[in-house]
């Protein structure tokens, strides 16, 4: 379901304990590090792939995995603040 977008067709989702990583043949598109309490410790999206909803997709994966309400650990970067505001809409 996450791979339906065109830019994600040739991507693979790698999972390890507390980390989801989306990669294609050439680069990492983005990753999220989290704990089992649903706290996002770090989220990164490659600048080339920003503004495509990738961070929201990664957050959704965390929510599905942990079955918890998602919170961001502090400090939250300016980009993280923008992401939080977009999630509130």
């Amino acid at each position: 379901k996450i791979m339906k977008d065109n830019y994600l067709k040739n991507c693979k989702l790698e999972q390890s304990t507390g980390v989801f990583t989306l990669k294609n043949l050439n680069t990492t598109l983005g990753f999220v590090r989290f704990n089992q309490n649903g706290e996002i410790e770090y989220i990164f999206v490659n600048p080339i792939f920003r503004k495509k909803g990738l961070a929201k997709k990664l957050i959704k994966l965390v929510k599905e995995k942990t079955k918890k309400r998602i919170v961001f650990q502090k400090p939250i970067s300016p980009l993280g603040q923008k992401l939080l505001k977009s999630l509130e809409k």
Side-chain angles (χ1 to χ4, degrees):
K1 57 190 168 185
I2 192 170
M3 304 300 183
K4 67 181 178 191
D5 295 306
N6 245 0
Y7 68 98
L8 294 175
K9 279 188 179 162
N10 296 317
C11 292
K12 64 179 180 175
L13 176 65
E14 295 181 356
Q15 299 179 52
S16 58
T17 305
V19 179
F20 287 122
T21 306
L22 272 173
K23 294 182 174 185
N24 66 20
L25 242 52
N26 301 313
T27 191
T28 296
L29 279 66
F31 69 91
V32 60
R33 188 175 68 219
F34 61 96
N35 63 37
Q36 290 308 307
N37 296 324
E39 296 173 326
I40 303 250
E41 297 168 355
Y42 191 84
I43 189 165
F44 168 80
V45 175
N46 184 319
I48 296 167
F49 297 99
R50 289 183 184 161
K51 301 286 187 187
K52 298 179 185 297
L54 189 56
K56 289 178 184 176
K57 290 178 191 307
L58 290 166
I59 290 168
K60 184 178 177 188
L61 287 170
V62 172
K63 190 170 188 166
E64 290 171 0
K65 174 79 173 177
T66 62
K67 310 251 188 293
K68 305 276 185 179
R69 188 174 76 77
I70 299 301
V71 293
F72 283 57
Q73 285 187 349
K74 295 184 173 151
I76 302 172
S77 71
L79 278 177
Q81 295 285 355
K82 284 178 77 173
L83 175 60
L84 279 174
K85 282 184 181 171
S86 76
L87 293 173
E88 293 169 358
K89 293 179 182 175

Coordinates of all heavy atoms in Angstrom, one line a residue:
K1 N 0.8 -1.2 0.0 CA 0.0 0.0 0.0 C 0.8 1.3 0.0 O 0.5 2.2 -0.6 CB -1.0 0.0 1.2 CG -0.3 -0.2 2.5 CD -1.4 -0.4 3.6 CE -0.6 -0.9 4.8 NZ -1.4 -1.3 5.9
I2 N 2.0 1.2 0.7 CA 2.8 2.4 0.7 C 3.5 2.7 -0.6 O 3.9 3.8 -0.9 CB 3.8 2.4 1.9 CG1 4.5 3.7 2.1 CG2 4.9 1.3 1.6 CD1 5.3 3.9 3.3
M3 N 3.7 1.6 -1.4 CA 4.5 1.8 -2.6 C 3.6 2.2 -3.9 O 4.1 2.1 -5.0 CB 5.2 0.4 -2.9 CG 6.0 -0.1 -1.8 SD 7.3 1.1 -1.4 CE 8.2 0.2 -0.2
K4 N 2.4 2.6 -3.7 CA 1.6 2.9 -4.8 C 2.0 4.2 -5.6 O 1.7 4.3 -6.7 CB 0.1 3.0 -4.4 CG -0.2 4.2 -3.5 CD -1.7 4.2 -3.1 CE -1.9 5.3 -2.2 NZ -3.2 5.3 -1.5
D5 N 2.6 5.1 -4.9 CA 3.1 6.4 -5.6 C 4.2 6.1 -6.6 O 5.0 5.2 -6.3 CB 3.5 7.4 -4.6 CG 2.4 7.9 -3.7 OD1 1.4 8.3 -4.2 OD2 2.5 7.8 -2.5
N6 N 4.2 6.8 -7.7 CA 5.2 6.5 -8.8 C 6.6 6.5 -8.3 O 7.4 5.6 -8.7 CB 5.0 7.6 -9.9 CG 4.5 7.0 -11.2 OD1 4.3 5.8 -11.3 ND2 4.4 7.8 -12.2
Y7 N 7.0 7.5 -7.5 CA 8.4 7.6 -7.1 C 8.8 6.5 -6.1 O 9.9 6.3 -5.8 CB 8.7 9.0 -6.5 CG 8.0 9.3 -5.2 CD1 8.7 9.1 -4.0 CD2 6.7 9.7 -5.2 CE1 8.0 9.3 -2.8 CE2 6.1 10.0 -4.0 CZ 6.7 9.8 -2.8 OH 6.1 10.0 -1.6
L8 N 7.8 5.7 -5.6 CA 8.1 4.6 -4.7 C 8.0 3.3 -5.3 O 8.3 2.3 -4.7 CB 7.0 4.7 -3.5 CG 7.1 5.9 -2.6 CD1 5.9 5.8 -1.6 CD2 8.4 5.9 -1.9
K9 N 7.7 3.2 -6.6 CA 7.6 1.9 -7.3 C 8.8 1.0 -7.2 O 8.7 -0.2 -7.0 CB 7.2 2.1 -8.8 CG 5.7 2.4 -8.9 CD 5.3 2.4 -10.3 CE 3.8 2.6 -10.4 NZ 3.4 3.0 -11.7
N10 N 10.0 1.5 -7.3 CA 11.2 0.7 -7.3 C 11.9 0.8 -5.9 O 13.1 0.6 -5.8 CB 12.1 1.1 -8.4 CG 11.6 0.9 -9.8 OD1 11.0 -0.2 -10.0 ND2 11.7 1.8 -10.7
C11 N 11.1 1.1 -4.9 CA 11.7 1.2 -3.6 C 11.4 0.0 -2.7 O 10.5 -0.8 -3.0 CB 11.0 2.4 -2.8 SG 11.5 4.0 -3.6
K12 N 12.3 -0.2 -1.7 CA 12.1 -1.2 -0.8 C 12.0 -0.6 0.6 O 12.7 0.3 0.9 CB 13.1 -2.3 -0.9 CG 14.5 -1.9 -0.6 CD 15.4 -3.2 -0.7 CE 16.8 -2.8 -0.4 NZ 17.7 -3.9 -0.4
L13 N 11.2 -1.2 1.4 CA 11.1 -0.8 2.8 C 11.9 -1.8 3.7 O 11.7 -3.0 3.6 CB 9.6 -0.9 3.3 CG 9.3 -0.6 4.7 CD1 9.7 0.9 5.1 CD2 7.9 -0.8 5.1
E14 N 12.9 -1.3 4.3 CA 13.7 -2.1 5.2 C 13.3 -1.8 6.7 O 13.0 -0.7 7.0 CB 15.2 -1.8 5.1 CG 15.7 -2.1 3.7 CD 17.2 -1.8 3.6 OE1 17.8 -1.3 4.5 OE2 17.8 -2.2 2.5
Q15 N 13.2 -2.9 7.5 CA 12.8 -2.7 8.8 C 13.8 -3.4 9.7 O 14.3 -4.4 9.5 CB 11.5 -3.5 9.1 CG 10.3 -3.0 8.3 CD 9.0 -3.8 8.6 OE1 8.7 -3.9 9.7 NE2 8.4 -4.3 7.5
S16 N 14.2 -2.6 10.8 CA 15.0 -3.2 11.9 C 14.3 -2.7 13.1 O 13.4 -2.0 13.1 CB 16.5 -2.8 11.7 OG 16.6 -1.4 11.8
T17 N 14.9 -3.1 14.3 CA 14.2 -2.7 15.5 C 14.2 -1.2 15.7 O 15.2 -0.6 15.7 CB 15.0 -3.4 16.7 OG1 15.1 -4.8 16.5 CG2 14.3 -3.0 18.0
G18 N 13.0 -0.7 15.7 CA 12.8 0.7 15.9 C 13.2 1.6 14.7 O 13.2 2.8 14.8
V19 N 13.3 1.1 13.5 CA 13.7 1.9 12.3 C 13.0 1.3 11.1 O 13.0 0.1 10.8 CB 15.2 1.9 12.0 CG1 15.5 2.7 10.8 CG2 16.0 2.4 13.2
F20 N 12.4 2.2 10.3 CA 11.9 2.0 9.0 C 12.7 2.8 8.0 O 12.8 4.0 8.2 CB 10.4 2.4 8.8 CG 9.4 1.4 9.5 CD1 8.6 2.0 10.5 CD2 9.4 0.1 9.2 CE1 7.6 1.2 11.1 CE2 8.4 -0.7 9.9 CZ 7.6 -0.2 10.8
T21 N 13.2 2.2 6.9 CA 14.0 2.9 5.9 C 13.4 2.6 4.6 O 13.2 1.5 4.2 CB 15.5 2.5 6.0 OG1 16.0 2.6 7.3 CG2 16.3 3.3 5.0
L22 N 13.2 3.7 3.8 CA 12.8 3.5 2.4 C 13.9 3.9 1.5 O 14.5 4.9 1.6 CB 11.6 4.5 2.1 CG 10.2 4.0 2.4 CD1 9.2 5.1 2.2 CD2 9.9 2.8 1.5
K23 N 14.3 2.9 0.6 CA 15.4 3.1 -0.3 C 15.0 2.7 -1.7 O 14.2 1.9 -1.9 CB 16.6 2.1 0.1 CG 17.2 2.4 1.5 CD 18.3 1.5 1.7 CE 19.1 1.8 3.0 NZ 20.2 1.0 3.2
N24 N 15.7 3.3 -2.7 CA 15.6 2.8 -4.0 C 17.0 2.4 -4.4 O 17.9 2.3 -3.5 CB 15.1 3.9 -5.0 CG 16.0 5.1 -5.1 OD1 17.2 5.1 -4.9 ND2 15.4 6.2 -5.6
L25 N 17.3 2.1 -5.7 CA 18.6 1.6 -6.1 C 19.7 2.5 -5.7 O 20.8 2.1 -5.5 CB 18.6 1.3 -7.6 CG 18.8 -0.1 -8.1 CD1 17.8 -1.1 -7.4 CD2 18.7 -0.2 -9.6
N26 N 19.5 3.8 -5.8 CA 20.5 4.8 -5.7 C 20.7 5.5 -4.3 O 21.8 5.9 -4.0 CB 20.3 5.9 -6.7 CG 20.2 5.4 -8.1 OD1 21.1 4.6 -8.5 ND2 19.2 5.8 -8.9
T27 N 19.6 5.6 -3.6 CA 19.7 6.4 -2.4 C 18.7 6.0 -1.3 O 17.8 5.3 -1.6 CB 19.6 7.9 -2.7 OG1 19.9 8.7 -1.6 CG2 18.2 8.2 -3.2
T28 N 18.8 6.6 -0.2 CA 17.8 6.5 0.9 C 16.8 7.6 0.6 O 17.2 8.8 0.6 CB 18.4 6.6 2.3 OG1 19.3 5.5 2.4 CG2 17.4 6.6 3.3
L29 N 15.5 7.3 0.5 CA 14.5 8.3 0.4 C 14.2 8.9 1.7 O 14.0 10.1 1.8 CB 13.2 7.7 -0.2 CG 13.2 7.5 -1.7 CD1 14.2 6.5 -2.2 CD2 11.8 7.2 -2.2
G30 N 14.1 8.1 2.7 CA 13.8 8.6 4.1 C 13.8 7.5 5.1 O 13.8 6.3 4.7
F31 N 13.9 7.9 6.3 CA 13.8 6.9 7.4 C 13.2 7.5 8.7 O 13.2 8.7 8.8 CB 15.2 6.2 7.7 CG 16.2 7.2 8.3 CD1 16.3 7.2 9.7 CD2 17.0 7.9 7.6 CE1 17.2 8.1 10.3 CE2 18.0 8.7 8.1 CZ 18.1 8.8 9.5
V32 N 12.7 6.7 9.5 CA 12.2 7.1 10.8 C 12.7 6.2 11.9 O 12.8 5.0 11.7 CB 10.7 7.2 10.8 CG1 10.0 5.8 10.5 CG2 10.1 7.8 12.1
R33 N 13.2 6.8 13.0 CA 13.6 6.0 14.2 C 12.6 6.3 15.3 O 12.2 7.4 15.5 CB 15.0 6.4 14.6 CG 15.5 5.4 15.7 CD 17.0 5.8 16.0 NE 17.0 7.1 16.7 CZ 18.0 8.0 16.5 NH1 19.0 7.7 15.7 NH2 18.0 9.1 17.1
F34 N 12.1 5.2 15.9 CA 11.0 5.3 16.9 C 11.2 4.3 18.0 O 12.0 3.3 17.9 CB 9.7 5.1 16.2 CG 9.5 3.8 15.6 CD1 8.9 2.7 16.2 CD2 10.0 3.5 14.3 CE1 8.7 1.5 15.7 CE2 9.9 2.3 13.7 CZ 9.2 1.2 14.4
N35 N 10.5 4.5 19.1 CA 10.4 3.5 20.2 C 9.0 2.9 20.3 O 8.1 3.3 19.6 CB 10.9 4.0 21.5 CG 10.1 5.1 22.0 OD1 8.8 5.1 21.9 ND2 10.7 6.1 22.6
Q36 N 8.9 1.9 21.1 CA 7.6 1.1 21.1 C 6.5 1.9 21.8 O 5.4 1.5 21.8 CB 7.8 -0.2 21.8 CG 8.6 -1.2 21.0 CD 8.0 -1.4 19.6 OE1 6.9 -1.7 19.4 NE2 8.9 -1.2 18.6
N37 N 6.8 3.1 22.4 CA 5.8 3.9 23.0 C 5.2 4.9 22.0 O 4.4 5.7 22.3 CB 6.4 4.8 24.1 CG 6.9 3.9 25.3 OD1 6.3 2.9 25.6 ND2 8.0 4.3 25.9
G38 N 5.6 4.7 20.7 CA 5.1 5.6 19.6 C 5.8 6.9 19.5 O 5.3 7.8 18.9
E39 N 7.0 7.1 20.2 CA 7.7 8.3 20.2 C 8.7 8.3 19.0 O 9.5 7.4 18.8 CB 8.5 8.5 21.4 CG 7.7 8.6 22.7 CD 8.5 8.7 23.9 OE1 9.6 8.0 24.0 OE2 8.1 9.4 24.9
I40 N 8.5 9.3 18.1 CA 9.4 9.5 17.0 C 10.7 10.1 17.5 O 10.6 11.3 18.0 CB 8.8 10.3 15.8 CG1 7.5 9.7 15.4 CG2 9.8 10.6 14.7 CD1 7.4 9.0 14.1
E41 N 11.8 9.4 17.4 CA 13.1 9.9 17.9 C 13.7 10.8 16.8 O 14.4 11.8 17.1 CB 14.0 8.8 18.3 CG 13.3 8.0 19.5 CD 14.0 6.7 19.8 OE1 15.0 6.3 19.0 OE2 13.7 6.0 20.8
Y42 N 13.6 10.3 15.5 CA 14.2 11.1 14.4 C 13.5 10.7 13.2 O 13.2 9.5 13.0 CB 15.7 10.7 14.3 CG 16.5 11.5 13.4 CD1 17.0 12.7 13.8 CD2 16.7 11.2 12.1 CE1 17.8 13.6 13.0 CE2 17.4 12.0 11.2 CZ 18.0 13.2 11.7 OH 18.7 14.0 10.8
I43 N 13.3 11.6 12.3 CA 12.7 11.4 11.0 C 13.5 12.2 10.0 O 13.8 13.4 10.2 CB 11.2 11.6 11.0 CG1 10.6 11.1 9.6 CG2 10.8 13.1 11.2 CD1 9.0 11.0 9.7
F44 N 13.8 11.6 8.9 CA 14.5 12.2 7.8 C 13.9 11.9 6.5 O 13.6 10.7 6.2 CB 16.0 11.8 7.8 CG 16.8 12.3 6.6 CD1 17.2 13.6 6.5 CD2 17.0 11.4 5.5 CE1 17.9 14.0 5.3 CE2 17.7 11.8 4.4 CZ 18.1 13.1 4.3
V45 N 13.8 12.9 5.6 CA 13.4 12.6 4.2 C 14.4 13.4 3.3 O 14.7 14.6 3.5 CB 12.0 13.2 3.9 CG1 11.6 13.0 2.4 CG2 10.9 12.4 4.7
N46 N 15.0 12.6 2.4 CA 15.9 13.2 1.4 C 15.3 14.4 0.8 O 14.2 14.4 0.3 CB 16.2 12.1 0.4 CG 17.3 12.5 -0.6 OD1 17.3 13.6 -1.1 ND2 18.2 11.6 -0.9
P47 N 16.0 15.5 0.7 CA 15.5 16.8 0.2 C 14.9 16.6 -1.2 O 13.9 17.3 -1.5 CB 16.7 17.7 0.1 CG 17.5 17.3 1.2 CD 17.4 15.8 1.3
I48 N 15.4 15.7 -2.0 CA 14.9 15.5 -3.4 C 13.4 14.9 -3.3 O 12.6 15.1 -4.2 CB 15.8 14.5 -4.2 CG1 17.1 15.1 -4.4 CG2 15.2 14.1 -5.5 CD1 18.2 14.2 -4.8
F49 N 13.1 14.2 -2.2 CA 11.8 13.6 -2.1 C 10.9 14.2 -1.2 O 9.8 13.7 -0.8 CB 12.0 12.1 -1.8 CG 12.8 11.3 -2.8 CD1 14.1 11.1 -2.6 CD2 12.2 10.9 -3.9 CE1 14.9 10.4 -3.6 CE2 12.9 10.2 -4.9 CZ 14.2 9.9 -4.7
R50 N 11.2 15.4 -0.7 CA 10.3 16.1 0.2 C 9.1 16.7 -0.5 O 9.0 16.8 -1.7 CB 11.1 17.3 0.9 CG 12.1 16.7 1.9 CD 12.8 17.8 2.6 NE 13.8 17.2 3.5 CZ 14.9 17.8 4.0 NH1 15.0 19.1 3.8 NH2 15.7 17.1 4.7
K51 N 8.0 17.0 0.3 CA 6.8 17.6 -0.2 C 6.0 16.6 -1.1 O 5.2 16.9 -1.9 CB 7.0 18.8 -1.1 CG 7.7 20.0 -0.4 CD 6.8 20.6 0.6 CE 7.4 21.8 1.2 NZ 6.6 22.4 2.3
K52 N 6.2 15.3 -0.8 CA 5.5 14.2 -1.5 C 4.7 13.3 -0.5 O 4.2 12.3 -0.9 CB 6.5 13.3 -2.3 CG 7.2 14.1 -3.4 CD 8.2 13.2 -4.1 CE 9.0 13.9 -5.1 NZ 8.3 14.5 -6.2
G53 N 4.7 13.7 0.8 CA 3.9 12.9 1.7 C 4.7 11.7 2.3 O 4.1 10.9 3.0
L54 N 6.0 11.7 2.0 CA 6.8 10.5 2.5 C 6.9 10.5 4.0 O 6.8 9.4 4.6 CB 8.2 10.6 1.9 CG 9.1 9.4 2.1 CD1 8.4 8.1 1.6 CD2 10.4 9.5 1.4
A55 N 7.1 11.6 4.7 CA 7.2 11.7 6.1 C 5.9 11.2 6.8 O 5.9 10.4 7.7 CB 7.5 13.1 6.6
K56 N 4.7 11.5 6.2 CA 3.4 11.1 6.7 C 3.3 9.6 6.5 O 2.8 8.9 7.4 CB 2.3 11.8 6.0 CG 2.2 13.3 6.4 CD 1.1 14.0 5.6 CE 1.1 15.5 6.0 NZ 0.1 16.2 5.2
K57 N 3.8 9.0 5.4 CA 3.8 7.6 5.2 C 4.6 6.9 6.2 O 4.2 5.8 6.8 CB 4.2 7.2 3.8 CG 3.3 7.7 2.7 CD 3.9 7.3 1.3 CE 3.1 7.9 0.2 NZ 1.7 7.7 0.1
L58 N 5.8 7.4 6.5 CA 6.7 6.8 7.6 C 6.0 6.8 8.9 O 6.0 5.9 9.7 CB 8.0 7.5 7.6 CG 8.9 7.2 6.4 CD1 10.1 8.2 6.3 CD2 9.4 5.8 6.3
I59 N 5.4 8.0 9.2 CA 4.7 8.1 10.5 C 3.5 7.1 10.6 O 3.3 6.5 11.7 CB 4.2 9.5 10.7 CG1 5.4 10.5 10.9 CG2 3.2 9.7 11.9 CD1 5.1 11.9 10.9
K60 N 2.8 6.9 9.5 CA 1.7 5.9 9.5 C 2.2 4.5 9.8 O 1.6 3.8 10.5 CB 1.0 6.0 8.1 CG -0.2 5.1 8.0 CD -0.9 5.2 6.7 CE -2.1 4.3 6.7 NZ -2.7 4.2 5.3
L61 N 3.4 4.2 9.2 CA 4.0 2.9 9.5 C 4.3 2.7 11.0 O 4.1 1.6 11.5 CB 5.3 2.7 8.7 CG 5.1 2.5 7.2 CD1 6.5 2.6 6.5 CD2 4.5 1.1 6.9
V62 N 4.8 3.8 11.6 CA 5.1 3.7 13.0 C 3.8 3.5 13.8 O 3.8 2.7 14.7 CB 5.9 5.0 13.5 CG1 6.0 5.0 15.0 CG2 7.2 5.1 12.8
K63 N 2.8 4.2 13.4 CA 1.5 4.1 14.2 C 1.0 2.7 14.0 O 0.5 2.1 15.0 CB 0.5 5.2 13.6 CG -0.7 5.3 14.4 CD -1.5 6.5 14.0 CE -2.6 6.7 15.0 NZ -3.3 8.0 14.8
E64 N 1.0 2.1 12.8 CA 0.6 0.8 12.6 C 1.4 -0.2 13.4 O 0.8 -1.2 14.0 CB 0.6 0.4 11.1 CG -0.5 1.2 10.3 CD -0.3 1.0 8.8 OE1 0.6 0.3 8.3 OE2 -1.1 1.6 8.1
K65 N 2.7 0.0 13.5 CA 3.6 -0.9 14.2 C 3.4 -0.9 15.7 O 3.3 -1.9 16.4 CB 5.0 -0.6 13.8 CG 6.1 -1.4 14.5 CD 6.2 -2.8 14.0 CE 7.4 -3.5 14.6 NZ 7.5 -4.8 14.1
T66 N 3.3 0.3 16.2 CA 3.3 0.5 17.7 C 1.9 0.5 18.3 O 1.7 0.2 19.5 CB 4.0 1.8 18.1 OG1 3.2 2.9 17.6 CG2 5.4 1.9 17.7
K67 N 0.9 0.8 17.4 CA -0.5 0.9 17.9 C -0.7 2.0 19.0 O -1.5 1.8 19.9 CB -1.0 -0.4 18.4 CG -0.8 -1.6 17.4 CD -2.1 -2.0 16.8 CE -1.9 -3.3 16.0 NZ -1.2 -3.2 14.8
K68 N 0.2 3.0 18.9 CA 0.2 4.1 19.9 C -0.1 5.4 19.2 O 0.1 5.6 18.0 CB 1.5 4.2 20.6 CG 2.0 2.9 21.2 CD 1.4 2.7 22.6 CE 2.0 1.4 23.2 NZ 1.6 1.1 24.5
R69 N -0.5 6.4 20.0 CA -0.5 7.8 19.6 C 0.9 8.3 19.4 O 1.7 8.1 20.2 CB -1.3 8.7 20.6 CG -1.6 10.1 20.1 CD -2.4 10.8 21.1 NE -1.6 11.3 22.2 CZ -0.8 12.4 22.2 NH1 -0.7 13.1 21.1 NH2 -0.2 12.7 23.3
I70 N 1.1 8.9 18.2 CA 2.5 9.3 17.9 C 2.8 10.6 18.5 O 2.0 11.6 18.5 CB 2.6 9.4 16.3 CG1 2.4 8.1 15.6 CG2 4.0 10.0 15.9 CD1 3.3 7.0 16.0
V71 N 4.0 10.7 19.1 CA 4.5 12.0 19.6 C 6.0 12.1 19.2 O 6.6 11.1 18.9 CB 4.5 12.0 21.2 CG1 3.0 12.1 21.7 CG2 5.2 10.9 21.8
F72 N 6.4 13.3 19.0 CA 7.8 13.6 18.6 C 8.6 14.0 19.8 O 8.2 14.8 20.6 CB 7.8 14.8 17.6 CG 7.4 14.6 16.2 CD1 6.1 14.0 16.0 CD2 8.2 14.8 15.2 CE1 5.7 13.7 14.7 CE2 7.8 14.6 13.9 CZ 6.5 14.0 13.6
Q73 N 9.7 13.3 19.9 CA 10.6 13.7 21.0 C 11.3 15.0 20.8 O 11.5 15.4 19.6 CB 11.8 12.6 21.1 CG 11.3 11.3 21.7 CD 12.4 10.4 22.0 OE1 13.6 10.6 21.6 NE2 12.2 9.3 22.7
K74 N 11.5 15.7 21.8 CA 12.2 17.1 21.7 C 13.7 16.9 21.7 O 14.2 15.9 22.3 CB 11.7 18.0 22.9 CG 10.2 18.2 22.7 CD 9.7 19.2 23.8 CE 8.3 19.5 23.4 NZ 7.3 19.8 24.4
P75 N 14.4 17.8 21.2 CA 14.0 19.0 20.5 C 13.4 18.7 19.1 O 13.8 17.8 18.5 CB 15.3 19.8 20.4 CG 16.4 18.8 20.3 CD 15.9 17.7 21.1
I76 N 12.5 19.6 18.7 CA 11.9 19.4 17.3 C 12.4 20.5 16.4 O 12.4 21.7 16.8 CB 10.4 19.5 17.4 CG1 9.9 18.4 18.4 CG2 9.7 19.3 16.1 CD1 8.4 18.5 18.7
S77 N 13.0 20.1 15.3 CA 13.6 21.0 14.4 C 12.5 21.9 13.7 O 11.3 21.6 13.8 CB 14.4 20.3 13.3 OG 13.4 19.6 12.4
P78 N 12.9 23.0 13.1 CA 12.0 23.8 12.3 C 11.2 23.0 11.3 O 10.0 23.2 11.1 CB 12.8 24.9 11.7 CG 14.0 25.0 12.6 CD 14.3 23.6 13.1
L79 N 11.9 22.1 10.6 CA 11.2 21.2 9.6 C 10.2 20.3 10.3 O 9.1 20.0 9.8 CB 12.1 20.4 8.8 CG 12.8 21.1 7.6 CD1 13.8 20.2 6.9 CD2 11.7 21.6 6.6
G80 N 10.6 19.8 11.5 CA 9.7 19.0 12.3 C 8.5 19.7 12.7 O 7.4 19.2 12.8
Q81 N 8.6 21.0 13.1 CA 7.5 21.8 13.5 C 6.5 21.9 12.3 O 5.3 21.9 12.5 CB 8.0 23.2 13.9 CG 8.8 23.2 15.2 CD 8.0 23.0 16.4 OE1 6.8 22.9 16.4 NE2 8.7 22.9 17.5
K82 N 7.0 22.2 11.1 CA 6.2 22.3 9.9 C 5.4 21.0 9.7 O 4.2 21.0 9.4 CB 7.0 22.6 8.7 CG 7.4 24.1 8.6 CD 8.3 24.4 7.4 CE 7.4 24.5 6.2 NZ 8.2 24.9 5.0
L83 N 6.1 19.8 9.9 CA 5.5 18.5 9.7 C 4.4 18.4 10.7 O 3.3 17.9 10.4 CB 6.5 17.4 9.8 CG 6.0 16.0 9.8 CD1 5.3 15.7 8.5 CD2 7.1 15.0 10.0
L84 N 4.6 18.7 12.0 CA 3.6 18.6 13.0 C 2.4 19.4 12.6 O 1.2 19.0 12.8 CB 4.1 19.0 14.4 CG 5.0 18.0 15.1 CD1 5.6 18.6 16.4 CD2 4.1 16.8 15.5
K85 N 2.6 20.7 12.2 CA 1.5 21.5 11.8 C 0.7 20.9 10.6 O -0.6 21.0 10.6 CB 1.9 22.9 11.4 CG 2.3 23.7 12.6 CD 2.7 25.1 12.2 CE 3.0 25.9 13.5 NZ 3.6 27.2 13.2
S86 N 1.3 20.3 9.7 CA 0.6 19.7 8.6 C -0.2 18.4 9.0 O -1.2 18.1 8.4 CB 1.6 19.3 7.5 OG 2.4 18.1 7.8
L87 N 0.3 17.8 10.1 CA -0.4 16.6 10.6 C -1.7 17.0 11.3 O -2.6 16.2 11.4 CB 0.4 15.8 11.5 CG 1.7 15.1 10.9 CD1 2.5 14.5 12.0 CD2 1.2 14.1 9.9
E88 N -1.7 18.2 11.8 CA -2.9 18.7 12.5 C -4.1 19.1 11.6 O -5.2 19.2 12.1 CB -2.5 20.0 13.3 CG -1.6 19.6 14.5 CD -1.0 20.9 15.1 OE1 -1.3 22.0 14.7 OE2 -0.2 20.7 16.1
K89 N -3.8 19.2 10.3 CA -4.9 19.6 9.4 C -5.8 18.5 9.1 O -5.5 17.3 9.2 CB -4.2 20.1 8.0 CG -3.4 21.3 8.2 CD -2.8 21.7 6.9 CE -2.0 23.0 7.1 NZ -1.3 23.4 5.9

